Amino acid sequence: NYIQEKLLVDFFAIKGNLMIIEGLRSYIKNNLEFFKDAEKIKILDVGPAIGAISTLLVLQLLDEFSLMDKARVYLLDASQRVIDKTHDGDFFYPTSILKPGLKDCIIKKIRSSKAEIGSIEKTVWPDNLFDIVIAGFLFHHLHRDIKPPAAKEITRILRPGGFLGVAEEWFENYGEEYAKYHKNDQIPLAYEDIISYENLSFMFPSIHVFFTYGTDYKEHSYTFCGTKSSE
């Protein structure tokens, strides 16, 4: 059972991040002249986990458009260990989904990233700072009271017209089945407050969603990508 569940969760994580990249690819194509003219492309990865896989994929995509040199990476995580190991390059570089030839360039960008330790509902950054914000499997780790201010803060620091990519896991019967089944595990479950696509997207009223994936299944991950409306 553990192996089956691990495979399912890992599939959610990889597929969700890859779908964010598909949404971002469409966004960059439609805004390519803006990015070619931009001096910098500021990217924020919220809750990156060790290795910041979402950011690695974003950087690889930017390289497809000859834009990686302009990328400026920012990381926000509640864990100092996550930031330290990511900055040190002490993580697995998955060559099954990332080009081996880009490893040195991508790791260099990660090592030079600016990082903050804290939670997303209150950040140090000014309004409209970031061009791209990624939240890969973040929101189910936030308490339900934190989710709305977190969404509001993400919207605040994303520039008008900027890109937001969100991926989440979703178990329709999480509380009734999954969590109860695992309540006596030797290693407790991480804190999770699962939220549906509809409820989470409702917390981003200023975001125009243009890409979705996986919202029609009872047990799945889901992804949505959008742009911030002009203010």
Side-chain angles (χ1 to χ4, degrees), residues 1-230:
N1 285 342
Y2 171 80
I3 293 173
Q4 289 178 328
E5 291 175 5
K6 189 71 167 59
L7 286 171
L8 180 65
V9 171
D10 288 349
F11 174 79
F12 285 177
I14 296 300
K15 193 67 174 180
N17 277 295
L18 291 176
M19 289 301 99
I20 287 177
I21 296 305
E22 287 306 303
L24 182 57
R25 178 178 281 108
S26 174
Y27 170 77
I28 292 176
K29 285 181 178 178
N30 290 331
N31 295 272
L32 190 54
E33 291 306 314
F34 172 87
F35 285 113
K36 286 184 176 180
D37 292 340
E39 181 180 352
K40 300 176 182 178
I41 302 172
K42 294 183 178 180
I43 305 156
L44 173 63
D45 192 341
V46 186
I50 294 171
I53 183 64
S54 302
T55 298
L56 304 187
L57 289 165
V58 170
L59 291 171
Q60 176 173 258
L61 178 63
L62 289 176
D63 182 72
E64 291 182 21
F65 296 92
S66 301
L67 295 171
M68 197 204 294
D69 288 345
K70 297 185 177 188
R72 300 295 183 269
V73 175
Y74 295 73
L75 306 174
L76 175 67
D77 201 280
S79 169
Q80 182 72 56
R81 180 172 179 267
V82 164
I83 297 301
D84 289 345
K85 289 181 77 67
T86 302
H87 266 167
D88 291 342
D90 185 11
F91 57 83
F92 175 71
Y93 182 91
T95 54
S96 58
I97 55 175
L98 293 168
K99 297 176 182 177
L102 292 178
K103 182 177 180 179
D104 289 345
C105 294
I106 288 178
I107 297 299
K108 183 178 179 180
K109 284 289 183 182
I110 292 296
R111 286 181 179 274
S112 64
S113 62
K114 297 181 179 181
E116 294 287 339
I117 308 298
S119 187
I120 185 56
E121 72 270 17
K122 187 176 182 181
T123 71
V124 299
W125 295 302
D127 294 356
N128 308 323
L129 178 64
F130 296 105
D131 300 293
I132 298 169
V133 175
I134 304 298
F137 301 93
L138 164 75
F139 276 88
H140 69 276
H141 290 305
L142 302 179
H143 189 276
R144 65 191 59 188
D145 293 339
I146 299 298
K147 287 179 173 63
K152 184 176 181 180
E153 184 71 355
I154 286 174
T155 304
R156 181 187 71 80
I157 59 181
L158 179 65
R159 69 166 174 80
F163 174 90
L164 171 64
V166 175
E168 270 301 326
E169 64 182 49
W170 168 249
F171 297 85
E172 187 174 43
N173 295 314
Y174 177 85
E176 294 77 13
E177 295 180 7
Y178 187 85
K180 288 182 179 179
Y181 179 78
H182 289 281
K183 67 179 180 180
N184 295 320
D185 285 1
Q186 185 174 359
I187 301 175
L189 291 172
Y191 176 80
E192 293 186 337
D193 182 61
I194 305 298
I195 184 169
S196 68
Y197 166 84
E198 291 78 12
N199 289 337
L200 184 55
S201 60
F202 182 76
M203 294 179 188
F204 290 96
S206 298
I207 299 297
H208 169 66
V209 177
F210 66 87
F211 177 90
T212 61
Y213 170 80
T215 57
D216 297 326
Y217 303 100
K218 290 185 183 243
E219 186 174 313
H220 59 270
S221 63
Y222 62 82
T223 301
F224 67 88
C225 303
T227 55
K228 180 179 176 182
S229 59
S230 299

